[in-house]
């Protein structure tokens, strides 16, 4: 905090006595201000500080209601932590900020004097890394106040230098910046990948330099405790782009491929919009698990949580909606049930894979005849070249990439040749892609109003205007 400098500055400007007198007038005794109320005060100060310091548009102070949902979803997959006496769990946040996610995780499991948690006998060891000096200082102060080991909070750029290299955790939580470039970390990241390859923190590949969200996604995936040690779970809040950005075999697509083919994605929950203080964009909670229970192996659950919110009486910046305890309970129930409902869809992991095929058409001469090469094969016309995305699961194929040839042949026969009989596929150009088109799975068609009704409204409005 550079506290000595602040004291010296206040003293130099003849403000130190005034400030101290003001604090001396306020009764902060625990019998007057409870621990819970002091916590609320602390949270409000952090929120105001975070709003003032978020100079980068993609950086967000995560509201407590969103964190509580993430923590509930994480613990929903670990019954052991809820019952065993003296159980020890580790929680890690690579973008710790002021420590909100770590604090809520501790409150949820261990509890506070005012609100006992799920297992007061449990012990939670909190770890975090933060790049911003002041946020780091607040987080470390909070850990000291909670009796945690403050040396487990480290200062530094997580992407460039993992201060917990070689360490894995039971739970990982993160809300990384959205749409913020990783130029400052580029050399360190590429050096790590060049040296360690698939053993690096980024085994799926690298996204575009303009957005580092998927670097944090991979980082968390590699920081989960290994399966032979019991496995780990992770929760991360991202915007929509990691779901679908990038064509087949692009960086983002390859990262999704790595996550899905290794069966690390457990669930993705769409949050309501207007949940954050300085942005109203759509956001999603990804839940990762490297040791899924038998009934969830090979599956991904998509949950539409966009309608589970309550309107706030007073907006806080862009935040006009909050997920109440009742809303949170409904979402967690959807997750725990793992059933097909209006708000929950279950897919095999290969449902998100596809092949991008290149469809060629013959080149014709001025007389309309096919131009052929020396071997007698028709030459393709670059102007008529097109691509098509063929889902792994097209026509009921459940073999994924293994059923490639038969599936592509069935697709071309049904979707291409009836329209362009002279077309063919250039197999050498076929690429594998992965995307998670979240919204279409929950889209509900609302038919437009009858034309007569619309005309009547328009005529009424025209009449009012003329009058």
């Amino acid at each position: 905090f550079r506290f000595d400098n602040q004291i010296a500055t206040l003293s130099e400007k003849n403000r130190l006595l005034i400030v101290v007198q003001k604090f001396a007038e306020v009764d902060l005794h625990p019998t007057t201000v409870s621990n819970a109320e002091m916590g609320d005060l602390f949270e409000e100060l952090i929120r105001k500080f975070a709003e003032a310091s978020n100079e980068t548009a993609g950086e967000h102070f995560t509201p407590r209601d969103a964190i509580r949902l993430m923590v509930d979803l994480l613990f929903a997959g670990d019954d052991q932590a809820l019952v065993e006496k003296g159980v020890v769990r580790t929680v890690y946040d690579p973008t710790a900020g002021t420590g909100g996610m770590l604090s809520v995780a501790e409150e949820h499991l261990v509890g506070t004097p005012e609100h006992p948690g799920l297992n007061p006998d449990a012990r939670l060891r909190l770890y975090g890394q933060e790049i911003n000096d002041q946020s780091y200082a607040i987080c470390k102060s909070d850990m000291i106040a909670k009796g945690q080991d403050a040396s487990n909070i480290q200062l530094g750029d997580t992407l460039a230098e993992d201060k917990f290299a070689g360490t894995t955790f039971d739970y990982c939580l993160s809300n990384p910046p959205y749409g913020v470039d990783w130029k400052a970390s580029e050399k360190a990241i590429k050096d790590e990948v060049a040296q360690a390859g698939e053993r690096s923190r980024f085994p799926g590949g690298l996204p575009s330099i303009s957005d580092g969200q998927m670097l944090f996604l991979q980082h968390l995936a590699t920081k989960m405790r290994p399966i032979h040690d019991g496995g780990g779970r992770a929760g991360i809040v991202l915007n929509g782009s990691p779901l679908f950005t990038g064509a087949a075999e692009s960086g983002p697509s390859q990262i999704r491929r790595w996550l899905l083919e290794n069966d690390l994605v457990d669930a993705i929950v769409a949050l309501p919009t207007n949940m954050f203080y300085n942005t109203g964009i759509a956001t999603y909670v990804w839940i990762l698990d490297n040791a899924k229970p038998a009934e969830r192996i090979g599956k991904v659950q998509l949950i539409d949580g966009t309608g589970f919110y309550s309107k706030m009486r007073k907006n806080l910046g862009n935040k006009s909606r909050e997920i109440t305890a009742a809303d949170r309970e409904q979402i967690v129930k959807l997750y725990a049930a793992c059933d097909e409902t209006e708000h929950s869809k279950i897919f095999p992991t290969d449902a998100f894979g596809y092949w991008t095929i290149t469809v060629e058409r013959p080149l014709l001469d001025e007389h309309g005849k096919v131009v052929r090469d020396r071997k007698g094969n028709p030459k393709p016309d670059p102007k008529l070249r097109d691509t098509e995305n063929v889902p792994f699961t097209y026509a009921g194929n459940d073999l994924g990439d293994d059923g490639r040839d038969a599936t592509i042949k069935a697709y071309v026969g049904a979707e291409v040749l009836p329209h362009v009989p002279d077309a063919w596929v250039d197999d050498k150009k076929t690429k594998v892609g992965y995307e998670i088109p979240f919204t279409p799975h929950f889209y509900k068609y609302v038919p437009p109003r009858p034309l007569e009704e619309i005309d009547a409204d328009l005529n009424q409005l025209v009449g009012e205007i003329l009058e």
Side-chain angles (χ1 to χ4, degrees), residues 63-311:
R64 286 297 196 269
D65 53 332
I67 300 174
R68 289 188 180 106
L69 174 62
M70 289 177 68
V71 170
D72 279 9
L73 290 168
L74 275 192
F75 281 106
D78 188 359
D79 298 333
Q80 192 181 7
L82 312 184
V83 292
E84 275 192 17
K85 191 169 184 177
V87 69
V88 179
R89 286 290 185 272
T90 54
V91 182
Y92 165 68
D93 184 348
T95 53
T98 52
M101 288 192 172
L102 298 175
S103 297
V104 171
E106 185 177 46
E107 289 167 15
H108 181 93
L109 182 58
V110 181
T112 63
E114 293 84 10
H115 304 286
L118 295 168
N119 185 355
D121 292 320
R123 284 184 295 160
L124 214 53
R125 292 177 182 156
L126 307 179
Y127 297 78
Q129 185 167 339
E130 171 56 33
I131 194 170
N132 178 285
D133 288 7
Q134 286 183 292
S135 298
Y136 159 76
I138 290 177
C139 182
K140 198 147 187 159
S141 302
D142 194 22
M143 294 304 112
I144 292 169
K146 292 179 189 303
Q148 287 281 340
D149 182 352
S151 67
N152 289 342
I153 307 301
Q154 294 286 323
L155 177 66
D157 177 358
T158 299
L159 294 181
E161 183 187 3
D162 178 13
K163 293 294 181 77
F164 299 97
T167 307
T168 54
F169 306 91
D170 296 299
Y171 303 107
C172 301
L173 289 158
S174 179
N175 179 21
Y178 308 150
V180 174
D181 70 62
W182 46 282
K183 288 176 185 172
S185 318
E186 182 178 9
K187 185 181 184 305
I189 289 170
K190 289 185 173 177
D191 285 349
E192 180 179 339
V193 171
Q195 291 167 15
E198 291 187 357
R199 290 179 289 103
S200 75
R201 291 177 293 151
F202 315 107
L206 302 178
S208 67
I209 197 76
S210 61
D211 189 355
Q213 288 180 90
M214 297 187 85
L215 293 173
F216 284 103
L217 182 59
Q218 290 182 86
H219 173 75
L220 284 199
T222 59
K223 298 301 281 185
M224 295 188 291
R225 192 174 296 289
I227 299 171
H228 58 76
D229 287 337
R233 287 169 62 80
I236 183 169
V237 188
L238 305 170
N239 69 14
S241 66
L243 292 168
F244 52 79
T245 188
E249 296 188 7
S250 66
S253 177
Q254 291 294 80
I255 294 168
R256 287 189 291 270
R257 179 179 184 176
W258 176 78
L259 288 165
L260 290 163
E261 290 187 353
N262 285 282
D263 200 15
L264 296 175
V265 182
D266 183 23
I268 301 175
V269 182
L271 297 180
T273 52
N274 298 104
M275 276 288 296
F276 289 77
Y277 299 112
N278 60 345
T279 181
I281 62 172
T283 51
Y284 301 81
V285 174
W286 291 55
I287 301 295
L288 307 180
D289 191 334
N290 62 5
K292 293 181 181 180
E295 66 274 14
R296 302 183 82 101
I297 289 174
K299 298 176 183 176
V300 177
Q301 183 179 14
L302 302 185
I303 298 174
D304 179 14
T306 56
F308 296 97
Y309 66 86
S310 300
K311 284 200 169 185

Side-chain angles (χ1 to χ4, degrees), residues 252-384:
S253 177
Q254 291 294 80
I255 294 168
R256 287 189 291 270
R257 179 179 184 176
W258 176 78
L259 288 165
L260 290 163
E261 290 187 353
N262 285 282
D263 200 15
L264 296 175
V265 182
D266 183 23
I268 301 175
V269 182
L271 297 180
T273 52
N274 298 104
M275 276 288 296
F276 289 77
Y277 299 112
N278 60 345
T279 181
I281 62 172
T283 51
Y284 301 81
V285 174
W286 291 55
I287 301 295
L288 307 180
D289 191 334
N290 62 5
K292 293 181 181 180
E295 66 274 14
R296 302 183 82 101
I297 289 174
K299 298 176 183 176
V300 177
Q301 183 179 14
L302 302 185
I303 298 174
D304 179 14
T306 56
F308 296 97
Y309 66 86
S310 300
K311 284 200 169 185
M312 297 172 64
R313 282 182 295 176
K314 182 184 176 184
N315 289 12
L316 293 173
N318 285 86
K319 185 173 174 61
S320 60
R321 297 169 171 178
E322 63 180 345
I323 299 174
T324 63
D327 298 322
R328 198 165 70 243
E329 186 179 351
Q330 284 185 281
I331 295 172
V332 174
K333 275 185 179 177
L334 286 170
Y335 169 77
C338 196
D339 287 330
E340 286 273 341
T341 69
E342 179 187 0
H343 300 288
S344 168
K345 307 293 180 187
I346 313 295
F347 298 92
T349 53
D350 63 3
F352 306 110
Y354 63 91
W355 298 282
T356 295
I357 60 172
T358 301
V359 179
E360 301 284 11
R361 301 276 304 282
L363 179 67
L364 304 178
D365 62 19
E366 64 271 20
H367 303 295
K369 290 185 177 181
V370 176
V371 179
R372 300 182 180 275
D373 61 20
R374 291 178 181 177
K375 294 181 179 179
N377 298 317
K379 286 187 175 181
D381 186 343
K383 294 178 182 177
L384 298 178

